[in-house]
Amino acid sequence: MRIAIVGCGQLSRMMALAGLPLGIKFSFIQDDIKQSTVCVEGLGLIHQSPKKDKDTKDYDAKDIKQLYHDLGKPDCITVEKEQVDLDLLRVLSTLCPIFPSVDAIRSCQHRGKEKNLLSNLDIPTSPYFLNTSAVTAAKTLGYPIMVKSCTEGYDGKNQWRINNSSDAKHFDELNIQEYIIEAFMPFDKEISLISVRSKQGHIEHYSLTDNVHEKGILTRSIAPAVNISDQFRLKAQAYMESLLNELDYVGVMAMECFVIGEQLMINELAPRVHNSGHWTQLGSITCQFENHIRAIAGIQLGSTKQISPTGMLNIIGIEKPSFELLAENTKLYWYNKSVKPLRKLGHINFIGKNHKVVSQQMALFD
Ligand code: AMP
């Protein structure tokens, strides 16, 4: 069996590293010429996606067939990111299945569509306006408000906090297209749920995870999330199940949430493996990467059971830590990328008998 992945970053790398021991071969589609392929070099065939025809603004079927052939005729194709050209997926889907489906990726690729999906399923999300003036939106939402572009926003990119009416007026003058304006949520903490659905519709959930973001970028996670009642966990799982079933989803999905008292509010969905699930590489019987590959390959899902409390620290914008710093209960995952400010270059997973031990280990790296 061969799986092709759109994207050549660290998530593709970790999916391949988890799938290779199952005897699955991998190929990678470099859909963005600016993205380096260094993360996936040596793990399979790498090919660039063709350019669209200037006149028809679509792909030439011959070019796509050639790409499919060059990729080693994969049995299915998946993605490491939601910001993928849907036209590319659509033409590739005539040659082999795409998991999750193009429609599922479309729903999570655009913040307006994602909000609609959540509202239609009665899943709580922060109140918002689509393409409305900031001054008008603030009349209902109050300040501060968050402006987020509908597409191309991740790791806090393309989103701004507006604190007062003069900033709102300034924003309105910029004439930005396609954005949502959201109420600012005074959350107690941020958590995420990573789940996986098989082709037969079987769903497994990982433990809820506590996440800390700085300047919109995830810096650390710890699982299981603390001070979460069973009722709260079951509520998060029920929301996830209704989303996965509605989308007839196959593979791993991540749901990022705000916790406000006893209220759970969904901030964002990711139709893919997710940074807040990296801890599963050390802390669960089957990690999120392997379970995504199992789901899309039609292999029975592995157990998502957690082995022990686990933490994850992202290494952002700094050189690889020295191996001497790594204690016996930690593991380093380095992505081979060149060092650049704010770039996610690797992560460390920490396992321990309780949260205190895990947090103490993590603090040594701060
Ligand atoms: P996002 O790109 O939507 O995942 O946002 C990145 C981070 O920005 C989140 O994890 C939060 O820490 C913060 N953030 C996003 N939206 C809001 C909001 N409506 N209210 C408060 N903080 C937010």
Side-chain angles (χ1 to χ4, degrees):
M1 160 162 266
R2 182 180 285 276
I3 295 175
I5 309 178
V6 184
C8 297
Q10 66 264 24
L11 299 180
S12 293
R13 172 187 179 81
M14 290 186 275
M15 281 191 269
L17 287 173
L20 287 166
L22 299 171
I24 296 172
K25 295 189 181 72
F26 287 87
S27 315
F28 307 93
I29 303 175
Q30 188 193 17
D31 64 328
D32 174 1
I33 190 74
K34 288 189 276 279
Q35 191 188 23
S36 152
T37 57
V38 73
C39 289
V40 294
E41 274 160 23
L43 299 177
L45 305 164
I46 306 173
H47 284 277
Q48 246 178 55
S49 57
K51 287 202 173 71
K52 281 179 165 170
D53 184 287
K54 277 197 204 93
D55 301 322
T56 63
K57 308 251 185 307
D58 205 351
Y59 293 96
D60 184 324
K62 259 203 309 230
D63 291 346
I64 294 294
K65 274 202 183 121
Q66 184 62 48
L67 172 67
Y68 181 70
H69 190 268
D70 292 343
L71 292 170
K73 298 189 182 161
D75 297 282
C76 67
I77 296 177
T78 191
V79 298
E80 68 155 356
K81 54 188 173 181
E82 52 277 31
Q83 297 308 330
V84 182
D85 182 6
L86 295 175
D87 290 337
L88 176 66
L89 295 184
R90 187 179 42 77
V91 284
L92 283 169
S93 73
T94 61
L95 300 166
C96 72
I98 312 278
F99 298 120
S101 70
V102 183
D103 279 346
I105 296 168
R106 180 184 286 112
S107 304
C108 303
Q109 178 178 82
H110 186 280
R111 287 194 196 263
K113 290 196 172 75
E114 188 173 281
K115 289 273 194 192
N116 258 333
L117 172 69
L118 293 167
S119 307
N120 290 341
L121 294 171
D122 283 331
I123 298 176
T125 175
S126 50
Y128 74 102
F129 286 87
L130 181 66
N131 300 331
T132 306
S133 106
V135 172
T136 309
K139 282 187 187 141
T140 307
L141 303 176
Y143 291 104
I145 45 177
M146 295 291 289
V147 178
K148 300 178 178 181
S149 70
C150 282
T151 55
E152 301 296 336
Y154 64 95
D155 284 350
K157 286 183 187 138
N158 290 331
Q159 60 172 265
W160 308 270
R161 179 178 157 154
I162 293 182
N163 291 317
N164 51 48
S165 60
S166 86
D167 287 353
K169 277 188 201 124
H170 181 63
F171 172 79
D172 287 342
E173 281 158 16
L174 296 177
N175 245 329
I176 290 182
Q177 308 289 311
E178 289 268 281
Y179 59 90
I180 58 164
I181 296 190
E182 230 177 48
F184 186 82
M185 293 288 114
F187 55 79
D188 300 320
K189 63 174 184 167
E190 294 185 81
I191 61 167
S192 60
L193 175 63
I194 312 273
S195 307
V196 58
R197 185 174 183 271
S198 72
K199 287 182 186 173
Q200 291 75 29
H202 179 71
I203 296 173
E204 291 286 343
H205 303 284
Y206 287 96
S207 308
L208 285 175
T209 304
D210 275 324
N211 297 315
V212 177
H213 293 81
E214 283 164 30
K215 296 189 185 130
I217 304 180
L218 180 74
T219 54
R220 57 176 61 218
S221 303
I222 195 154
V226 294
N227 301 329
I228 298 283
S229 63
D230 279 351
Q231 203 190 353
F232 200 87
R233 180 175 51 78
L234 292 172
K235 184 159 63 175
Q237 292 179 351
Y239 292 155
M240 177 64 102
E241 285 171 19
S242 83
L243 281 163
L244 294 176
N245 291 331
E246 170 72 15
L247 297 169
D248 194 14
Y249 195 89
V250 179
V252 162
M253 179 185 263
M255 188 172 88
E256 292 184 86
C257 321
F258 297 136
V259 178
I260 309 168
E262 264 307 296
Q263 230 192 329
L264 178 67
M265 204 156 254
I266 312 311
N267 174 38
E268 207 181 16
L269 304 172
R272 54 173 169 82
V273 289
H274 193 258
N275 195 172
S276 68
H278 288 6
W279 65 267
T280 62
Q281 289 169 307
L282 191 60
S284 276
I285 290 179
T286 316
C287 72
Q288 61 162 348
F289 302 103
E290 183 177 332
N291 256 338
H292 183 72
I293 296 302
R294 282 183 180 228
I296 67 174
I299 304 169
Q300 191 183 6
L301 299 180
S303 166
T304 51
K305 193 165 182 285
Q306 185 160 0
I307 299 164
S308 179
T310 314
M312 188 281 318
L313 201 63
N314 269 335
I315 304 170
I316 301 170
I318 54 167
E319 298 287 346
K320 183 158 79 175
S322 129
F323 288 127
E324 285 83 71
L325 284 174
L326 295 171
E328 58 188 8
N329 55 341
T330 63
K331 277 204 178 195
L332 171 68
Y333 306 77
W334 190 249
Y335 312 147
N336 290 339
K337 298 200 269 189
S338 57
V339 177
K340 216 175 141 185
L342 297 181
R343 181 177 270 177
K344 288 179 182 168
L345 297 161
H347 66 275
I348 306 174
N349 282 334
F350 303 75
I351 201 163
K353 64 177 191 293
N354 56 42
H355 278 68
K356 193 167 164 215
V357 171
V358 171
S359 302
Q360 279 167 349
Q361 291 280 350
M362 290 171 85
L364 297 177
F365 284 85
D366 271 349

